Amino acid sequence: MSHTVKTAIVTGGSRGIGRAICLKLAAQEMNLVINYAGNQQAAEATAEECRSLGTQVILVKADVSKPEGCEKLFSEAQETFGAVDVLVNNAGITRDGLILRMSEESFDEVIDTNLKGAFFCMKLAARIMMKQRYGRIVNMSSVAGVRGNPGQINYSASKAGLIGMTKSLAKELAGRNVTVNAVAPGLIETDMTDVLSDAVKDQLVHGIPMARAGKPEDVAAAVAFFASEEAGYITGQVLCVDGGMAV
Ligand code: NDP
């Protein structure tokens, strides 16, 4: 490898867990390519915070559910930094509802963003990382993908699918020094879970041995570990960050 400062792409890096991941990787002196869908204010605030840690940052507004969006993301990363060492597929959405009320559109939207978005990005990353003979890919799954969750068959399918893709790609890329792992958070305090009613949150907390929700920083620490050089002999793994929820 000719480059020493690593470059990381974080999808959905503007807010919540993605923001915490960006800050953690910035603190580890990685160049950052922060992707977001539309919330420019949040994206700029996160970028500024990362820059204040002394790292180089570009922001790329792109919809990862579309192949063109992912191509734009990778071409801007390559143009600016000339390498992609770390890919964190973190962008994700929910469109919850019980099966009898779930539309095909809600199903497709979630699969397209959470699962196909990761596929498009992994394909672009694989080409670069195989050539570099170095890479770290981290996919954001969920306890919903490990255990299932009522009202979330679309979301659980996408998150279980990410685990399958993680294990398969880990096997495909292992010989090229590229690792592929997944992190499966439980209940984490972000905008995504802020919309849940207190009753639903209480019920979820009841199922957590640690009896509390987690913070974005808890998840970022696990992602940063998989993204590090030191984790080079670990691939195809799923790490639950959930206060014991999935045990
Ligand atoms: P948030 O809703 O807080 O943030 C979602 C992020 O994804 C934002 O940065 C958003 O960009 C971005 N995003 C959404 N759609 C797209 C798209 N089509 N293209 C590009 N970016 C997009 O979510 P969280 O931080 O809570 O979740 C992050 C990840 O962690 C998700 O994959 C989620 O499924 C997973 N997760 C979360 C848990 C939780 O309890 N919070 C539990 C388990 C897993 P913008 O700001 O521009 O809208």
PDB file of all heavy atoms in Angstrom, residues 97-118:
ATOM      1  N   GLY A  97     -44.892  -1.387   9.715  1.00  0.00           N
ATOM      2  CA  GLY A  97     -46.323  -1.706   9.621  1.00  0.00           C
ATOM      3  C   GLY A  97     -46.509  -3.215   9.670  1.00  0.00           C
ATOM      4  O   GLY A  97     -45.607  -3.964   9.273  1.00  0.00           O
ATOM      5  N   LEU A  98     -47.650  -3.627  10.191  1.00  0.00           N
ATOM      6  CA  LEU A  98     -47.914  -5.075  10.217  1.00  0.00           C
ATOM      7  C   LEU A  98     -48.180  -5.548   8.792  1.00  0.00           C
ATOM      8  O   LEU A  98     -48.574  -4.768   7.931  1.00  0.00           O
ATOM      9  CB  LEU A  98     -49.108  -5.361  11.132  1.00  0.00           C
ATOM     10  CG  LEU A  98     -48.852  -4.988  12.604  1.00  0.00           C
ATOM     11  CD1 LEU A  98     -50.133  -5.081  13.420  1.00  0.00           C
ATOM     12  CD2 LEU A  98     -47.756  -5.860  13.211  1.00  0.00           C
ATOM     13  N   ILE A  99     -47.998  -6.836   8.555  1.00  0.00           N
ATOM     14  CA  ILE A  99     -47.987  -7.326   7.164  1.00  0.00           C
ATOM     15  C   ILE A  99     -49.257  -6.993   6.384  1.00  0.00           C
ATOM     16  O   ILE A  99     -49.197  -6.634   5.209  1.00  0.00           O
ATOM     17  CB  ILE A  99     -47.666  -8.843   7.099  1.00  0.00           C
ATOM     18  CG1 ILE A  99     -47.427  -9.254   5.643  1.00  0.00           C
ATOM     19  CG2 ILE A  99     -48.781  -9.685   7.741  1.00  0.00           C
ATOM     20  CD1 ILE A  99     -46.676 -10.540   5.470  1.00  0.00           C
ATOM     21  N   LEU A 100     -50.427  -7.078   7.028  1.00  0.00           N
ATOM     22  CA  LEU A 100     -51.665  -6.844   6.280  1.00  0.00           C
ATOM     23  C   LEU A 100     -51.781  -5.408   5.792  1.00  0.00           C
ATOM     24  O   LEU A 100     -52.505  -5.109   4.858  1.00  0.00           O
ATOM     25  CB  LEU A 100     -52.888  -7.218   7.127  1.00  0.00           C
ATOM     26  CG  LEU A 100     -52.995  -8.697   7.513  1.00  0.00           C
ATOM     27  CD1 LEU A 100     -54.292  -8.973   8.252  1.00  0.00           C
ATOM     28  CD2 LEU A 100     -52.893  -9.611   6.290  1.00  0.00           C
ATOM     29  N   ARG A 101     -51.030  -4.516   6.446  1.00  0.00           N
ATOM     30  CA  ARG A 101     -51.079  -3.110   6.057  1.00  0.00           C
ATOM     31  C   ARG A 101     -49.842  -2.662   5.288  1.00  0.00           C
ATOM     32  O   ARG A 101     -49.734  -1.485   4.917  1.00  0.00           O
ATOM     33  CB  ARG A 101     -51.187  -2.238   7.300  1.00  0.00           C
ATOM     34  CG  ARG A 101     -52.528  -2.316   7.949  1.00  0.00           C
ATOM     35  CD  ARG A 101     -52.538  -1.368   9.096  1.00  0.00           C
ATOM     36  NE  ARG A 101     -53.837  -1.395   9.744  1.00  0.00           N
ATOM     37  CZ  ARG A 101     -54.295  -0.402  10.463  1.00  0.00           C
ATOM     38  NH1 ARG A 101     -53.583   0.686  10.625  1.00  0.00           N
ATOM     39  NH2 ARG A 101     -55.465  -0.490  11.028  1.00  0.00           N
ATOM     40  N   MET A 102     -48.902  -3.565   5.118  1.00  0.00           N
ATOM     41  CA  MET A 102     -47.658  -3.131   4.479  1.00  0.00           C
ATOM     42  C   MET A 102     -47.797  -3.143   2.956  1.00  0.00           C
ATOM     43  O   MET A 102     -48.095  -4.177   2.358  1.00  0.00           O
ATOM     44  CB  MET A 102     -46.484  -4.018   4.903  1.00  0.00           C
ATOM     45  CG  MET A 102     -45.158  -3.462   4.389  1.00  0.00           C
ATOM     46  SD  MET A 102     -43.760  -4.375   5.009  1.00  0.00           S
ATOM     47  CE  MET A 102     -43.720  -3.818   6.709  1.00  0.00           C
ATOM     48  N   SER A 103     -47.550  -1.992   2.345  1.00  0.00           N
ATOM     49  CA  SER A 103     -47.656  -1.909   0.884  1.00  0.00           C
ATOM     50  C   SER A 103     -46.379  -2.440   0.243  1.00  0.00           C
ATOM     51  O   SER A 103     -45.318  -2.486   0.874  1.00  0.00           O
ATOM     52  CB  SER A 103     -47.860  -0.459   0.466  1.00  0.00           C
ATOM     53  OG  SER A 103     -46.712   0.291   0.799  1.00  0.00           O
ATOM     54  N   GLU A 104     -46.519  -2.797  -1.012  1.00  0.00           N
ATOM     55  CA  GLU A 104     -45.351  -3.243  -1.776  1.00  0.00           C
ATOM     56  C   GLU A 104     -44.322  -2.109  -1.846  1.00  0.00           C
ATOM     57  O   GLU A 104     -43.118  -2.339  -1.785  1.00  0.00           O
ATOM     58  CB  GLU A 104     -45.788  -3.660  -3.187  1.00  0.00           C
ATOM     59  CG  GLU A 104     -44.647  -4.221  -4.012  1.00  0.00           C
ATOM     60  CD  GLU A 104     -45.088  -4.667  -5.403  1.00  0.00           C
ATOM     61  OE1 GLU A 104     -46.297  -4.664  -5.682  1.00  0.00           O
ATOM     62  OE2 GLU A 104     -44.206  -5.001  -6.207  1.00  0.00           O
ATOM     63  N   GLU A 105     -44.830  -0.884  -1.926  1.00  0.00           N
ATOM     64  CA  GLU A 105     -43.943   0.273  -2.009  1.00  0.00           C
ATOM     65  C   GLU A 105     -43.078   0.400  -0.741  1.00  0.00           C
ATOM     66  O   GLU A 105     -41.871   0.645  -0.830  1.00  0.00           O
ATOM     67  CB  GLU A 105     -44.802   1.525  -2.189  1.00  0.00           C
ATOM     68  CG  GLU A 105     -44.027   2.719  -2.642  1.00  0.00           C
ATOM     69  CD  GLU A 105     -44.871   3.986  -2.620  1.00  0.00           C
ATOM     70  OE1 GLU A 105     -45.944   4.008  -1.977  1.00  0.00           O
ATOM     71  OE2 GLU A 105     -44.444   4.952  -3.255  1.00  0.00           O
ATOM     72  N   SER A 106     -43.706   0.218   0.423  1.00  0.00           N
ATOM     73  CA  SER A 106     -42.938   0.298   1.685  1.00  0.00           C
ATOM     74  C   SER A 106     -41.895  -0.812   1.746  1.00  0.00           C
ATOM     75  O   SER A 106     -40.793  -0.626   2.261  1.00  0.00           O
ATOM     76  CB  SER A 106     -43.837   0.115   2.911  1.00  0.00           C
ATOM     77  OG  SER A 106     -44.802   1.096   2.951  1.00  0.00           O
ATOM     78  N   PHE A 107     -42.275  -1.974   1.243  1.00  0.00           N
ATOM     79  CA  PHE A 107     -41.332  -3.101   1.240  1.00  0.00           C
ATOM     80  C   PHE A 107     -40.132  -2.761   0.345  1.00  0.00           C
ATOM     81  O   PHE A 107     -38.982  -2.863   0.760  1.00  0.00           O
ATOM     82  CB  PHE A 107     -42.043  -4.374   0.749  1.00  0.00           C
ATOM     83  CG  PHE A 107     -41.228  -5.610   0.953  1.00  0.00           C
ATOM     84  CD1 PHE A 107     -41.283  -6.299   2.160  1.00  0.00           C
ATOM     85  CD2 PHE A 107     -40.389  -6.079  -0.043  1.00  0.00           C
ATOM     86  CE1 PHE A 107     -40.508  -7.445   2.367  1.00  0.00           C
ATOM     87  CE2 PHE A 107     -39.608  -7.213   0.161  1.00  0.00           C
ATOM     88  CZ  PHE A 107     -39.677  -7.894   1.362  1.00  0.00           C
ATOM     89  N   ASP A 108     -40.446  -2.325  -0.876  1.00  0.00           N
ATOM     90  CA  ASP A 108     -39.375  -2.045  -1.845  1.00  0.00           C
ATOM     91  C   ASP A 108     -38.461  -0.909  -1.406  1.00  0.00           C
ATOM     92  O   ASP A 108     -37.242  -0.981  -1.579  1.00  0.00           O
ATOM     93  CB  ASP A 108     -39.976  -1.700  -3.217  1.00  0.00           C
ATOM     94  CG  ASP A 108     -40.539  -2.937  -3.911  1.00  0.00           C
ATOM     95  OD1 ASP A 108     -40.234  -4.061  -3.467  1.00  0.00           O
ATOM     96  OD2 ASP A 108     -41.297  -2.777  -4.887  1.00  0.00           O
ATOM     97  N   GLU A 109     -39.052   0.146  -0.847  1.00  0.00           N
ATOM     98  CA  GLU A 109     -38.253   1.308  -0.441  1.00  0.00           C
ATOM     99  C   GLU A 109     -37.179   0.909   0.572  1.00  0.00           C
ATOM    100  O   GLU A 109     -36.035   1.339   0.499  1.00  0.00           O
ATOM    101  CB  GLU A 109     -39.169   2.337   0.238  1.00  0.00           C
ATOM    102  CG  GLU A 109     -39.486   3.553  -0.584  1.00  0.00           C
ATOM    103  CD  GLU A 109     -40.276   4.542   0.244  1.00  0.00           C
ATOM    104  OE1 GLU A 109     -41.506   4.338   0.386  1.00  0.00           O
ATOM    105  OE2 GLU A 109     -39.679   5.500   0.758  1.00  0.00           O
ATOM    106  N   VAL A 110     -37.589   0.087   1.534  1.00  0.00           N
ATOM    107  CA  VAL A 110     -36.655  -0.334   2.589  1.00  0.00           C
ATOM    108  C   VAL A 110     -35.587  -1.271   2.027  1.00  0.00           C
ATOM    109  O   VAL A 110     -34.393  -1.118   2.314  1.00  0.00           O
ATOM    110  CB  VAL A 110     -37.429  -0.977   3.769  1.00  0.00           C
ATOM    111  CG1 VAL A 110     -36.485  -1.664   4.737  1.00  0.00           C
ATOM    112  CG2 VAL A 110     -38.242   0.093   4.480  1.00  0.00           C
ATOM    113  N   ILE A 111     -36.009  -2.217   1.199  1.00  0.00           N
ATOM    114  CA  ILE A 111     -35.028  -3.135   0.595  1.00  0.00           C
ATOM    115  C   ILE A 111     -34.063  -2.360  -0.307  1.00  0.00           C
ATOM    116  O   ILE A 111     -32.851  -2.583  -0.285  1.00  0.00           O
ATOM    117  CB  ILE A 111     -35.742  -4.255  -0.212  1.00  0.00           C
ATOM    118  CG1 ILE A 111     -36.602  -5.131   0.711  1.00  0.00           C
ATOM    119  CG2 ILE A 111     -34.738  -5.100  -1.009  1.00  0.00           C
ATOM    120  CD1 ILE A 111     -35.847  -5.982   1.705  1.00  0.00           C
ATOM    121  N   ASP A 112     -34.609  -1.434  -1.095  1.00  0.00           N
ATOM    122  CA  ASP A 112     -33.754  -0.687  -2.029  1.00  0.00           C
ATOM    123  C   ASP A 112     -32.695   0.140  -1.297  1.00  0.00           C
ATOM    124  O   ASP A 112     -31.548   0.214  -1.721  1.00  0.00           O
ATOM    125  CB  ASP A 112     -34.598   0.242  -2.924  1.00  0.00           C
ATOM    126  CG  ASP A 112     -35.371  -0.536  -3.971  1.00  0.00           C
ATOM    127  OD1 ASP A 112     -35.142  -1.765  -4.102  1.00  0.00           O
ATOM    128  OD2 ASP A 112     -36.214   0.065  -4.660  1.00  0.00           O
ATOM    129  N   THR A 113     -33.089   0.785  -0.214  1.00  0.00           N
ATOM    130  CA  THR A 113     -32.136   1.636   0.517  1.00  0.00           C
ATOM    131  C   THR A 113     -31.183   0.796   1.362  1.00  0.00           C
ATOM    132  O   THR A 113     -29.959   0.921   1.253  1.00  0.00           O
ATOM    133  CB  THR A 113     -32.904   2.620   1.446  1.00  0.00           C
ATOM    134  OG1 THR A 113     -33.840   3.344   0.650  1.00  0.00           O
ATOM    135  CG2 THR A 113     -31.950   3.575   2.134  1.00  0.00           C
ATOM    136  N   ASN A 114     -31.730  -0.064   2.200  1.00  0.00           N
ATOM    137  CA  ASN A 114     -30.903  -0.760   3.193  1.00  0.00           C
ATOM    138  C   ASN A 114     -30.086  -1.903   2.584  1.00  0.00           C
ATOM    139  O   ASN A 114     -28.950  -2.131   2.994  1.00  0.00           O
ATOM    140  CB  ASN A 114     -31.777  -1.346   4.304  1.00  0.00           C
ATOM    141  CG  ASN A 114     -32.589  -0.285   5.042  1.00  0.00           C
ATOM    142  OD1 ASN A 114     -32.590   0.881   4.665  1.00  0.00           O
ATOM    143  ND2 ASN A 114     -33.287  -0.698   6.082  1.00  0.00           N
ATOM    144  N   LEU A 115     -30.672  -2.624   1.650  1.00  0.00           N
ATOM    145  CA  LEU A 115     -29.996  -3.825   1.135  1.00  0.00           C
ATOM    146  C   LEU A 115     -29.330  -3.584  -0.223  1.00  0.00           C
ATOM    147  O   LEU A 115     -28.135  -3.820  -0.385  1.00  0.00           O
ATOM    148  CB  LEU A 115     -31.001  -4.973   1.042  1.00  0.00           C
ATOM    149  CG  LEU A 115     -30.424  -6.354   0.734  1.00  0.00           C
ATOM    150  CD1 LEU A 115     -29.469  -6.828   1.827  1.00  0.00           C
ATOM    151  CD2 LEU A 115     -31.543  -7.375   0.557  1.00  0.00           C
ATOM    152  N   LYS A 116     -30.116  -3.084  -1.186  1.00  0.00           N
ATOM    153  CA  LYS A 116     -29.519  -2.873  -2.511  1.00  0.00           C
ATOM    154  C   LYS A 116     -28.480  -1.765  -2.473  1.00  0.00           C
ATOM    155  O   LYS A 116     -27.467  -1.830  -3.166  1.00  0.00           O
ATOM    156  CB  LYS A 116     -30.603  -2.564  -3.556  1.00  0.00           C
ATOM    157  CG  LYS A 116     -31.193  -3.832  -4.149  1.00  0.00           C
ATOM    158  CD  LYS A 116     -32.295  -3.530  -5.121  1.00  0.00           C
ATOM    159  CE  LYS A 116     -31.809  -3.293  -6.524  1.00  0.00           C
ATOM    160  NZ  LYS A 116     -32.952  -3.076  -7.450  1.00  0.00           N
ATOM    161  N   GLY A 117     -28.720  -0.744  -1.636  1.00  0.00           N
ATOM    162  CA  GLY A 117     -27.740   0.341  -1.503  1.00  0.00           C
ATOM    163  C   GLY A 117     -26.387  -0.218  -1.075  1.00  0.00           C
ATOM    164  O   GLY A 117     -25.341   0.156  -1.604  1.00  0.00           O
ATOM    165  N   ALA A 118     -26.425  -1.136  -0.115  1.00  0.00           N
ATOM    166  CA  ALA A 118     -25.178  -1.753   0.367  1.00  0.00           C
ATOM    167  C   ALA A 118     -24.549  -2.614  -0.733  1.00  0.00           C
ATOM    168  O   ALA A 118     -23.322  -2.643  -0.885  1.00  0.00           O
ATOM    169  CB  ALA A 118     -25.456  -2.577   1.615  1.00  0.00           C
TER     170      ALA A 118
END
